[in-house]
Amino acid sequence: GNTLYPEAYNVFKSLDLTISRKTDRNYLNFSYTWSRLYGNYQGVSFVNSPTQEGLANYTGAWTNYFQVGTGLLSLDRTHAFKLQDTYRFTLAGRDLNLGLACYSYSGTPITHYNADSDFTGQGGNTPVDGKFGGFGRNHWQSNVDLHLDYSVAIGQRIRVVPYVDCFNLFNTRVGDRTYELAVFQASGGAPDPRLGSDLNRPLGRRYTFGVKVQF
């Protein structure tokens, strides 16, 4: 067999803290996760994580032995906070329900990939200096979603519930990845000016309005 490839591995470690509270009117759930994901093998998926290539069950990092790196893998997030809260108020004798969903998590590691072609023409999958996650982290990500509904009874059996959902309440538009594939290491060329630019910006603030009829 080919002994030039190292043994493939990835290791995930985490520490989780969860706090929840439930009453007749309120449900609160908060969680915090500290985690670490490292190794030399990203695994395979429908999207290749480092390059965002839409290739099912494929990872270019193991096409050739010299494309194998080691370090923090692309899905590593050190801190992750999640909060879900719902509360039922009484307004004019009817139920007014307020829901809040918040998340906040640290950015993923940044790996720079060599853009010079090797003899296979696949240099773009080779991590610079053979290290994953060696160039800092992407932006911290946060989001808040809001839900509001009001329940109105009509007769004995019909209940009309108008509602509104607001997604990305604070209109956060920070990209969760940066461009990583343009370091010309072998030829000594200038880096691609796109290197480090934001990718995958989330959608801006948006609303959904609707009415539910229950009977």
Side-chain angles (χ1 to χ4, degrees):
N2 189 340
T3 60
L4 294 176
Y5 285 92
E7 181 178 355
Y9 76 98
N10 54 50
V11 178
F12 177 76
K13 297 179 179 180
S14 71
L15 177 66
D16 300 286
L17 171 67
T18 300
I19 300 173
S20 62
R21 177 178 182 268
K22 185 177 182 180
T23 67
D24 290 341
R25 290 186 172 272
N26 177 237
Y27 172 75
L28 174 67
N29 186 78
F30 169 80
S31 67
Y32 165 73
T33 300
W34 175 94
S35 64
R36 180 71 75 222
L37 176 63
Y38 63 93
N40 62 9
Y41 182 61
Q42 304 277 358
V44 295
S45 65
F46 288 103
V47 176
N48 187 23
S49 297
T51 61
Q52 296 294 286
E53 295 170 311
L55 302 175
N57 300 321
Y58 166 83
T59 174
W62 281 71
T63 304
N64 299 287
Y65 69 88
F66 49 81
Q67 294 175 334
V68 178
T70 303
L72 295 175
L73 301 181
S74 61
L75 297 180
D76 174 77
R77 294 189 187 276
T78 306
H79 307 287
F81 299 87
K82 295 180 181 179
L83 173 67
Q84 294 176 308
D85 190 18
T86 61
Y87 198 91
R88 178 167 54 88
F89 299 89
T90 299
L91 179 64
R94 311 297 185 188
D95 287 342
L96 176 67
N97 296 301
L98 175 66
L100 190 68
C102 311
Y103 68 77
S104 185
Y105 46 77
S106 53
T108 53
I110 297 174
T111 301
H112 286 172
Y113 292 88
N114 183 21
D116 284 325
S117 293
D118 49 50
F119 64 89
T120 67
Q122 300 186 41
N125 285 318
T126 306
V128 171
D129 299 328
K131 186 174 182 180
F132 291 135
F135 293 86
R137 285 187 175 268
N138 291 299
H139 300 298
W140 190 286
Q141 297 290 308
S142 297
N143 186 69
V144 177
D145 296 330
L146 189 67
H147 172 85
L148 190 67
D149 68 59
Y150 187 63
S151 181
V152 180
I154 300 177
Q156 297 295 318
R157 297 185 177 181
I158 299 177
R159 188 175 298 273
V160 178
V161 186
Y163 67 89
V164 58
D165 291 314
C166 178
F167 303 98
N168 194 0
L169 178 64
F170 296 108
N171 200 35
T172 305
R173 300 299 308 277
V174 178
D176 67 355
R177 299 190 68 84
T178 54
Y179 192 82
E180 301 178 330
L181 302 179
V183 178
F184 297 92
Q185 188 177 42
S187 65
D192 190 303
R194 294 174 294 177
L195 186 66
S197 59
D198 282 357
L199 299 173
N200 296 354
R201 291 180 182 271
L203 295 174
R205 185 188 301 112
R206 58 204 187 278
Y207 300 90
T208 299
F209 299 90
V211 177
K212 295 185 291 185
V213 179
Q214 301 171 338
F215 55 89

